[in-house]
Amino acid sequence: MKSLLKKRLLPVVAVAAAAGLALSGCSAGGGGETKEIKIGVLATDKGNLAFGMDEAKAAIGVSMAAIGGTIDGGEIDGVPVTIVYEGTDGTSASAQTAVKKLVENDGVDIVFGPVSGDEGETVVQYALTTPEVTYVNGSASPVGMTLAGADNFFRFHGDSAMWMGGLGDYAYNDKGYKKIYAIAEDYSFPYDNAGGFFSEFCAAGGSVTGNSWVPVGTTDYSSIIAQIPADTDAVYVGLGGADAASFLSQAVTAGVKKPLVGGTIAVDTTALSGDANIADVAVGTIAGGPVPGPDYSSPEWQAFVAEYAKQPKAFPSPSIFSILYYNSFNSLLLALEEVKGQLGSPDQKDLRAALTALEWTSPTGVIKLDANRQAIVDNFLIEVVQGADGKLTTKQISQTSGVKQGTKTYDRFEGCPN
Amino acid sequence: MSSSKQTSAHSGTWKRWVTTQNVVVAVVIVLGVIFPLVVDRPRFWLPNIGVRTLWMGTIAMSLVFLNKYVGLLSLAQMTFAGICSYGIGYFSVTMGLPIIPSIILSLGVGSLAGYITALIAVRTKAIYFMMITLALSQVFYSWASQAIEVTNARRGIAPIPRPNLGFIDLNDITTFYYFALFLAVLSYVIFRYTAKSQFGLAIQGIKDSPERMSALGYNVNRYRTAALTLAAFVASIGGVILVFDRNQVDPSFVSLDSTLNILVVAVVGGIGSLGGVFIGGLVFALLQNFAQDFTDRYMTLTGLVFIGVLLFFPAGLVGLGPIIRRLFSKRAKTSASKASSDTPTVERRAGTHNKKGQHK
Amino acid sequence: MDIWPLILLNGLTLGAVYFVASSGLTLIFGLMRVITLAHGTSFLFGGYLGYVAASVTGNWIVGLVAGLVAAGLLGLFTHQVLIRRFQDDDMRVALITLGVAVIGTDLMLAVFGGTATQVPFPQEFQVALQIPGIGDYPLIRLIILAIAVVLGLAIYLVIARTRFGSIVRAGVDDAPMTSATGVNVRVVFAVIFAVGSALAGLAGVISGTLFPLLPGQDGSYLLFSLVVVIVGGMGSIPGAAIGSVLVGVVSQFALVVAPTYAFVLTFALMVIVLAVRPQGIMGRPA
């Protein structure tokens, strides 16, 4: 309905904007002044990532509080901002249903989200068919999303290959791992994540003693562990969530003595705070990702952590999802402030110009966009350590500034990625 | 329940039954046709509610057909649809074939999958058949999740744009909706026609008494195989609508959840009624889109509705029709009993096939 | 180093978990001729409650018992409230229990969340045992293998040697006749349904000790249990044992030989068995 209005009635709309556009529940589509901004948020509230919605709301709460608003909305230069939420279960199907509902039924001007990679690829495809809406990514990280040619789609955080930036060199040169065995889940995120690591590691001179691509949901790793060759220096663990927890606890009982290199989601706070006694294998694991260690001392980071802790349903420390959602939402908010709430026309051009030109210091370093509307960001290397209280935590090893996106998407590979 | 001969004594009721049912069908089709004209936001309602109802209904209808006329509850129908969807993705996107041959080939592949399933499972009965089709559907799901060369694994095949078929341009959502509606009605007609054909009478005879039909010289397994293949073909038609609705295909099409959703649609709509599935589909599509506006626990709600239907309205939501009529009509007694015999409940098969299960 | 004996042992210990899970399903089917699709729900529910009990008390055995009892009560409730009236109608029982499974999945996600948890077990068990020809092997897996073997023998002996067992056997062969001899078949059915569910709950705790517990496992363990009983033969305890070992060993070898298609190969085993012997390895012709 909205695109029909625009295509056929554009001149009329310019005259009678207020009356005509009430039909689509959206007052920003036409050529005139923006009277109201409606932002539709996609986040997971069902399935294994059900906490995604709470993290998204916490992030948005922090960001909106800074302009005196709430998670339900606020005001920018006199223009009211409403935020509506649509829950998904992390699958492409539910993301497609939800994004259509936001755009077509709720008539939002801007879509913010989604959480998972499967969802992200679907939302980008949908964005291509709705050029009048602006999309700001939440935390979906497949490399290809910003290479799909959707010029209304913006991502203000790194992709999953960029999250490994610097780790390959560090593993080879500083840790002295020459040969690594790779165990990773068999889908797109670990392909990109492992691809980012191993392309750097192999370029530095390292070699791969074997790859085990295991199906997501594999619970019994005992036979995989048995295959790790004796002359391997370290094991790459490209697993996440429950699979990572399974692997770590079985690595303990099977007596794995090799040091580990973690994918971005292998050693997050949820895995480390679990009940299983994994200290024996987890300590010393190095990993890369967009989340700094808790000891990170930038004032922006400290301020964010303090504000985050005030949000309802906040975790003890911010998860990767809340950080990425915050950085992304705050980027959007800064751009909206830049244009004083006036999105511009056609196709919200003023907002998009402001998003493209944006450069600011986020809690995790300076964020700006490249020509594909993909962020250039800082990346962090961390190491798992045992705290004074015996609990596992991470410490910061290094911060790599200005990590840019490669143009390569990875598929399943054997040995080094080519 | 399904008399094979129309005696003169029955022909009067027979005709009246046909008329009533056909009037309802005609009304539903008219509602389907005017749907795009009455909704306020067609770009939301047509894909998210309309087209979704149609593909869920078509796939669920193939399940209902098998249950009603063959007495087999197949949990692989969603998988056949998904296989057809994958076929269209593979032939048209991966191999670059033109779209019409891709669709025809994929309908063939989906039907072939039904035929192969029949070869494996047709010798088993009732509850075994259900378990085996469930397990087979998971075989395909596991394979589709991993076979990167064919299915592109978890990432799936995308984009699969709605095509311009030459005589009809599916890019336009309203056109696509009518295309889907046409396919759904076509599927319904195929099943109605089949049920009344010689073949249909034979499979119903086999359902009621396989031993007798076997003794009469019918090759029971061959008839069942043919019925399964036909049902897989119609499920594949659902898969055609589905893939152009989603514009992509990935393993979630054939996951356990999707399989169970189709079963829920069939049961809630009425597992003994071919057309009732579209009511089930509509209810389910509305729940998927709007339930989260008022509850976080919408799967619990779905489960409760599902159990409630099974406990109290085994004929599904279409079974409510006769109940309501009974309340308001004096002539209700006859029509309700007829309607309920036309919409049999979940088949009671334990007793007939497993004497061990009886204990009364 | 030759890893095949180790992988075989891994397959056996994994099969042990599958056996405990599927024995309940096959027991229920053997007597009642119904399939409960809420079996995975009992599994995960038992696992979670076992996790809570073991975490609170710090005692693994208490966790095992809690999981067993909790799932047994859930089974009893399901049987008495929802399916008792329909237990001749196997399709309706399957569908109603499916509804229970849908609700169970959703509520457990709401209560226990989407992240993985693991049942804590004593530090003393968290050691490796030296086995000739294999090397170090985790003691906990051997303990679980032993539990499964003892449990299997116990079920077998109860059915073969006790009065209750003879009622069950008679009920399997001819329920109406058994009922006519004065046995209250309804009570027997209720007990068997509860025991079958309890076994699933026990399997949940055992599995939750070796592997994490998380949403979705209710579905996957239901499927594995179905595959096991289809392969082994529905209703047969020895069949469940054979099926479990086969599924466990095949899945472990597949994970080494072709990890990408490990799940597919595990299911393919079932297709092969069905093609050759539709009633399963130990099943009687249907």
Side-chain angles (χ1 to χ4, degrees):
Chain A
M1 183 63 82
K2 202 160 63 176
S3 80
L4 281 181
L5 275 175
K6 268 199 230 139
K7 278 180 199 145
R8 293 182 192 164
L9 304 177
L10 208 54
V12 187
V13 164
V15 182
L21 284 173
L23 187 62
S24 62
C26 146
S27 55
E33 193 186 350
T34 304
K35 295 269 196 285
E36 185 200 355
I37 298 169
K38 202 165 180 185
I39 302 173
V41 178
L42 288 171
T44 45
D45 66 352
K46 295 179 274 291
N48 291 4
L49 293 172
F51 58 93
M53 183 62 92
D54 293 332
E55 285 291 270
K57 285 183 174 167
I60 291 169
V62 173
S63 193
M64 290 299 288
I67 63 159
T70 68
I71 59 165
D72 296 317
E75 206 177 276
I76 293 174
D77 279 282
V79 180
V81 177
T82 350
I83 306 176
V84 293
Y85 295 84
E86 196 69 24
T88 67
D89 63 9
T91 63
S92 62
S94 76
Q96 203 171 47
T97 303
V99 74
K100 273 185 202 166
K101 190 181 170 204
L102 284 175
V103 172
E104 307 292 353
N105 192 49
D106 301 335
V108 300
D109 306 292
I110 298 158
V111 171
F112 176 64
V115 170
S116 82
D118 289 349
E119 296 180 304
E121 307 212 35
T122 291
V123 169
V124 170
Q125 291 301 328
Y126 185 71
L128 283 164
T129 67
T130 49
E132 71 278 13
V133 177
T134 300
Y135 292 81
V136 176
N137 187 52
S139 62
S141 66
V143 174
M145 283 171 61
T146 44
L147 302 174
D151 54 14
N152 53 341
F153 191 93
F154 298 79
R155 178 158 63 189
F156 287 94
H157 60 79
D159 67 31
S160 35
M162 294 162 70
W163 288 346
M164 287 279 119
L167 191 66
D169 282 333
Y170 182 78
Y172 187 84
N173 295 321
D174 295 53
K175 283 284 183 181
Y177 304 151
K178 309 297 176 204
K179 295 176 181 175
I180 292 187
Y181 187 87
I183 299 172
E185 286 156 338
D186 200 357
Y187 74 101
S188 48
F189 173 76
Y191 297 162
D192 286 340
N193 211 213
F197 172 74
F198 279 105
S199 57
E200 196 177 302
F201 175 72
C202 291
S207 65
V208 181
T209 54
N211 309 66
S212 287
W213 297 104
V214 299
V216 181
T218 297
T219 48
D220 195 341
Y221 288 87
S222 51
S223 297
I224 297 285
I225 289 170
Q227 288 182 83
I228 301 170
D231 66 343
T232 300
D233 298 324
V235 178
Y236 174 85
V237 186
L239 309 169
D243 292 2
S246 278
F247 174 84
L248 289 171
S249 75
Q250 288 167 51
V252 173
T253 48
V256 171
K257 303 288 191 293
K258 312 279 183 196
L260 305 181
V261 177
T264 298
I265 54 173
V267 288
D268 63 3
T269 43
T270 51
L272 295 180
S273 62
D275 308 291
N277 182 24
I278 55 170
D280 287 351
V281 292
V283 168
T285 301
I286 54 170
V291 187
D295 53 341
Y296 185 55
S297 60
S298 92
E300 291 85 6
W301 172 256
Q302 297 296 343
F304 170 70
V305 171
E307 280 300 313
Y308 170 85
K310 293 180 196 159
Q311 301 297 320
K313 298 190 187 174
F315 283 132
S317 66
S319 76
I320 183 170
F321 298 105
S322 58
I323 292 162
L324 298 182
Y325 262 73
Y326 173 77
N327 283 349
S328 304
F329 191 83
N330 211 49
S331 299
L332 171 64
L333 216 53
L334 289 172
L336 285 171
E337 286 183 306
E338 178 69 29
V339 297
K340 300 194 169 12
Q342 298 303 314
L343 304 181
S345 87
D347 289 345
Q348 306 176 348
K349 68 176 173 59
D350 297 347
L351 170 66
R352 291 179 195 179
L355 284 168
T356 311
L358 188 69
E359 179 169 346
W360 66 291
T361 306
S362 77
T364 60
V366 173
I367 294 179
K368 58 174 186 269
L369 292 188
D370 68 12
N372 290 327
R373 300 156 309 283
Q374 160 66 47
I376 298 167
V377 291
D378 290 4
N379 199 49
F380 299 89
L381 303 187
I382 54 164
E383 181 169 340
V384 177
V385 292
Q386 199 151 20
D389 55 355
K391 290 216 165 92
L392 294 179
T393 180
T394 56
K395 95 173 176 324
Q396 176 108 357
I397 305 171
S398 72
Q399 178 174 7
T400 317
S401 292
V403 177
K404 292 187 179 131
Q405 188 182 35
T407 48
K408 185 167 172 49
T409 59
Y410 294 91
D411 270 327
R412 190 189 295 154
F413 57 88
E414 297 299 322
C416 287
N418 43 33
Chain B
M1 196 178 288
S2 49
S3 64
S4 51
K5 293 270 187 284
Q6 292 180 32
T7 62
S8 57
H10 282 115
S11 69
T13 42
W14 177 258
K15 269 183 194 153
R16 208 184 321 147
W17 172 75
V18 169
T19 316
T20 316
Q21 192 185 24
N22 284 351
V23 166
V24 172
V25 169
V27 167
V28 170
I29 292 176
V30 168
L31 286 177
V33 170
I34 62 169
F35 178 71
L37 309 174
V38 296
V39 292
D40 54 349
R41 287 177 295 273
R43 293 225 314 177
F44 165 73
W45 285 94
L46 291 192
N48 269 27
I49 307 293
V51 174
R52 181 183 302 247
T53 300
L54 292 172
W55 65 252
M56 285 200 296
T58 305
I59 297 166
M61 186 162 60
S62 72
L63 185 153
V64 167
F65 172 79
L66 285 177
N67 184 63
K68 182 174 179 177
Y69 295 108
V70 192
L72 294 174
L73 199 119
S74 162
L75 293 182
Q77 298 310 112
M78 187 66 219
T79 306
F80 301 145
I83 287 172
C84 177
S85 299
Y86 265 115
I88 291 172
Y90 186 75
F91 292 130
S92 75
V93 175
T94 313
M95 289 178 61
L97 291 185
I99 193 69
I100 292 181
S102 299
I103 292 174
I104 293 169
L105 273 175
S106 305
L107 286 170
V109 172
S111 312
L112 182 67
Y115 177 72
I116 293 171
T117 303
L119 291 186
I120 296 170
V122 80
R123 285 182 290 173
T124 58
K125 289 168 205 147
I127 197 88
Y128 291 84
F129 184 85
M130 189 190 83
M131 286 169 43
I132 289 164
T133 48
L134 177 64
L136 283 175
S137 74
Q138 290 305 301
V139 176
F140 183 77
Y141 171 69
S142 321
W143 179 79
S145 308
Q146 300 296 141
I148 201 160
E149 301 81 5
V150 184
T151 63
N152 201 17
R154 276 262 302 247
R155 219 174 239 167
I157 302 172
I160 306 173
R162 286 200 295 271
N164 186 341
L165 296 178
F167 57 95
I168 182 173
D169 185 2
L170 300 182
N171 267 309
D172 177 54
I173 182 66
T174 312
T175 313
F176 177 58
Y177 169 79
Y178 284 122
F179 174 74
L181 182 64
F182 168 75
L183 290 182
V185 172
L186 177 72
S187 304
Y188 178 76
V189 171
I190 290 174
F191 278 147
R192 281 284 299 275
Y193 174 79
T194 306
K196 292 208 187 99
S197 67
Q198 281 298 322
F199 172 77
L201 298 176
I203 54 173
Q204 289 166 66
I206 289 170
K207 177 193 159 195
D208 293 339
S209 174
E211 295 81 6
R212 193 181 65 202
M213 293 301 277
S214 193
L216 286 172
Y218 286 86
N219 185 332
V220 168
N221 285 348
R222 190 173 294 171
Y223 273 87
R224 281 190 177 145
T225 304
L228 267 164
T229 310
L230 177 73
F233 172 75
V234 169
S236 300
I237 293 179
V240 173
I241 308 175
L242 165 61
V243 75
F244 292 126
D245 175 39
R246 295 284 318 278
N247 301 123
Q248 68 180 76
V249 54
D250 63 58
S252 71
F253 278 43
V254 290
S255 67
L256 184 61
D257 283 351
S258 308
T259 296
L260 297 184
N261 286 350
I262 291 299
L263 182 63
V264 170
V265 165
V267 169
V268 170
I271 200 153
S273 157
L274 286 179
V277 291
F278 293 102
I279 299 173
L282 182 63
V283 169
F284 200 80
L286 290 170
L287 270 179
Q288 274 187 327
N289 275 283
F290 295 110
Q292 63 168 280
D293 293 350
F294 53 88
T295 172
D296 283 343
R297 305 261 67 87
Y298 108 95
M299 282 316 291
T300 300
L301 183 69
T302 309
L304 288 173
V305 169
F306 184 75
I307 292 179
V309 165
L310 284 165
L311 291 181
F312 305 114
F313 311 103
L317 291 182
V318 288
L320 288 178
I323 293 170
I324 293 165
R325 245 182 296 160
R326 201 177 333 172
L327 291 176
F328 289 100
S329 166
K330 296 205 168 181
R331 290 176 53 208
K333 210 175 174 188
T334 46
S335 68
S337 66
K338 250 176 274 127
S340 62
S341 68
D342 288 329
T343 54
T345 62
V346 175
E347 291 307 317
R348 203 197 133 179
R349 311 204 53 77
T352 46
H353 293 301
N354 282 308
K355 296 182 186 77
K356 293 154 197 158
Q358 285 180 309
H359 66 276
K360 276 183 187 167
Chain C
M1 183 184 73
D2 193 6
I3 60 170
W4 299 115
L6 172 62
I7 290 165
L8 183 66
L9 191 54
N10 284 339
L12 284 175
T13 49
L14 182 61
V17 178
Y18 290 159
F19 172 73
V20 180
S22 58
S23 61
L25 192 68
T26 209
L27 205 60
I28 293 173
F29 180 82
L31 183 67
M32 298 170 66
R33 299 283 141 180
V34 298
I35 283 290
T36 163
L37 296 181
H39 203 65
T41 310
S42 301
F43 172 91
L44 194 55
F45 182 66
Y48 275 134
L49 279 243
Y51 157 75
V52 171
S55 304
V56 170
T57 62
N59 187 328
W60 187 58
I61 306 290
V62 172
L64 288 179
V65 173
L68 186 95
V69 171
L73 291 176
L74 177 69
L76 193 63
F77 173 83
T78 308
H79 180 265
Q80 291 297 307
V81 175
L82 294 174
I83 61 177
R84 193 170 45 129
R85 288 183 291 152
F86 307 110
Q87 64 193 19
D88 295 337
D89 185 344
D90 57 354
M91 277 302 170
R92 206 189 296 199
V93 169
L95 293 179
I96 290 174
T97 51
L98 175 67
V100 173
V102 169
I103 296 171
T105 301
D106 196 43
L107 292 184
M108 283 192 281
L109 179 66
V111 175
F112 297 102
T115 48
T117 51
Q118 202 154 2
V119 179
F121 65 98
Q123 286 277 306
E124 309 83 79
F125 294 171
Q126 204 167 18
V127 293
L129 210 65
Q130 188 69 32
I131 297 179
I134 290 178
D136 286 347
Y137 198 78
L139 176 62
I140 185 69
R141 293 183 78 110
L142 295 174
I143 292 175
I144 282 165
L145 180 60
I147 290 177
V149 171
V150 169
L151 193 71
L153 286 175
I155 297 172
Y156 182 78
L157 287 177
V158 165
I159 291 180
R161 298 283 164 82
T162 64
R163 179 175 144 68
F164 181 76
S166 67
I167 294 170
V168 170
R169 272 180 290 133
V172 169
D173 287 335
D174 196 335
M177 188 57 82
T178 313
S179 191
T181 58
V183 173
N184 190 338
V185 178
R186 287 196 174 278
V187 172
V188 177
F189 278 12
V191 169
I192 284 294
F193 202 90
V195 168
S197 304
L199 285 171
L202 179 67
V205 188
I206 287 175
S207 167
T209 308
L210 286 185
F211 319 120
L213 291 165
L214 73 156
Q217 277 184 333
D218 44 355
S220 50
Y221 269 86
L222 170 64
L223 277 167
F224 279 124
S225 300
L226 286 177
V227 170
V228 164
V229 298
I230 292 172
V231 168
M234 309 249 308
S236 160
I237 291 288
I242 294 170
S244 306
V245 169
L246 271 178
V247 171
V249 170
V250 167
S251 70
Q252 288 294 305
F253 276 95
L255 206 51
V256 171
V257 178
T260 302
Y261 294 103
F263 288 157
V264 183
L265 289 174
T266 308
F267 286 122
L269 170 74
M270 179 197 73
V271 176
I272 293 166
V273 169
L274 278 175
V276 180
R277 203 177 148 81
Q279 71 271 36
I281 291 170
M282 298 294 284
R284 285 173 293 185

